[in-house]
């Protein structure tokens, strides 16, 4: 009983965070979803592309349920994780989003089909023998991590914050300035010992 509850709970959280991640692309130009926004080139559409590989690989091959499309291999000596974190001019936003949706459906089928204690094997992990539970938690953690990145990138682009993408500017700019001033004061007082 608890196994089914845990699996359903984790799966629901994974579905929610996937939707939240995709919402960060809404209303942005092609340039804004693709452009590098950090020193390492992190960009919104690249995060989606990266998570496509995670969903397909971890909730596919690891459980002998190969994803039907060709994928980069984590254990390939020529694989560099940064190669799947950006989108070329030959890849459309629709293609990336559709690829993510397909990978998520494939992952969902794995989660729905297998019991939470189904065995899997992750050759690049220090303890490679895993259960479906371990991998769902890993993919959920990875997706949440990158959704957090997407939150910050989106706020940098146009001020949109939260799951509903309300603009921070919808609140009084004075309120935000006052809030930031309180944070700055606390940081400075901590450093000065006052």
């Amino acid at each position: 009983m608890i196994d089914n509850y845990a699996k359903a709970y984790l799966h629901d959280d994974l579905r929610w965070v996937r939707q939240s991640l995709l919402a960060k692309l809404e209303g942005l130009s092609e340039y804004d979803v693709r452009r590098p926004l950090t020193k390492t080139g992190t960009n919104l559409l690249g995060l989606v592309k990266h998570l496509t590989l995670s969903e397909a690989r971890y909730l596919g091959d690891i459980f002998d349920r190969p994803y039907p499309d060709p994928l980069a291999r984590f254990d390939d000596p020529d694989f560099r994780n940064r190669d799947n974190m950006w989108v070329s001019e030959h890849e459309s936003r629709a293609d990336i989003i559709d690829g993510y949706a397909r990978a998520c459906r494939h992952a969902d089928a794995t989660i729905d089909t297998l019991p939470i204690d189904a065995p899997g094997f992750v050759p690049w992990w220090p303890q490679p023998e895993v259960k479906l539970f371990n991998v769902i938690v890993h993919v959920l953690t990875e997706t949440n991590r990158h959704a957090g990145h997407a939150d910050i990138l989106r706020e940098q682009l146009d001020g949109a914050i939260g799951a509903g993408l309300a603009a921070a500017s919808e609140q009084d700019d004075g309120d935000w300035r006052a809030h930031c001033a309180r944070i700055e004061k606390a940081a400075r007082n901590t450093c000065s010992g006052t």
Side-chain angles (χ1 to χ4, degrees):
M1 174 89 170
I2 191 70
D3 287 352
N4 290 334
Y5 172 80
K7 186 169 92 164
Y9 187 89
L10 293 170
H11 199 183
D12 286 347
D13 275 1
L14 181 57
R15 287 182 181 117
W16 181 87
V17 74
R18 288 170 180 162
Q19 291 173 353
S20 178
L21 174 73
L22 291 175
K24 298 301 174 183
L25 305 175
E26 292 175 9
L28 292 176
S29 69
E30 285 299 315
Y31 175 69
D32 282 342
V33 297
R34 295 166 179 270
R35 69 181 169 131
L37 295 165
T38 68
K39 177 181 175 181
T40 59
T42 305
N43 61 89
L44 289 166
L45 205 54
L47 291 172
V48 175
K49 182 178 177 181
H50 171 70
L51 288 170
T52 300
L53 179 60
S54 293
E55 292 267 358
R57 179 71 68 217
Y58 281 108
L59 290 164
D61 288 351
I62 298 307
F63 296 97
D64 292 323
R65 297 175 55 83
Y67 188 66
D69 297 347
L71 296 170
R73 296 204 51 89
F74 297 142
D75 54 355
D76 182 337
D78 294 328
F79 177 77
R80 295 182 325 169
N81 203 28
R82 71 176 124 175
D83 292 342
N84 74 342
M85 296 281 287
W86 68 284
V87 178
S88 77
E89 63 272 20
H90 306 293
E91 299 170 286
S92 74
R93 179 193 307 215
D95 289 343
I96 298 300
I97 292 171
D98 183 58
Y100 185 57
R102 284 193 321 273
C104 291
R105 284 192 301 274
H106 186 78
D108 289 343
T110 297
I111 294 169
D112 290 341
T113 301
L114 299 178
I116 198 157
D117 63 348
F121 189 79
V122 186
W124 52 88
W125 282 10
Q127 296 177 324
E129 294 183 11
V130 296
K131 303 289 186 197
L132 179 61
F133 173 81
N134 306 103
V135 175
I136 294 172
V137 169
H138 175 78
V139 172
L140 178 59
T141 301
E142 179 82 356
T143 306
N144 271 300
R145 177 177 177 237
H146 291 309
H149 296 147
D151 287 341
I152 293 167
L153 296 178
R154 181 63 191 256
E155 185 178 350
Q156 284 180 330
L157 285 168
D158 66 359
I161 58 174
L165 291 179
S169 62
E170 288 179 10
Q171 290 188 351
D172 181 10
D173 280 342
D175 287 345
W176 284 116
R177 281 193 300 277
H179 177 66
C180 287
R182 280 191 302 275
I183 296 169
E184 179 68 25
K185 181 181 177 187
R188 288 190 183 279
N189 287 344
T190 301
C191 294
S192 67
T194 60

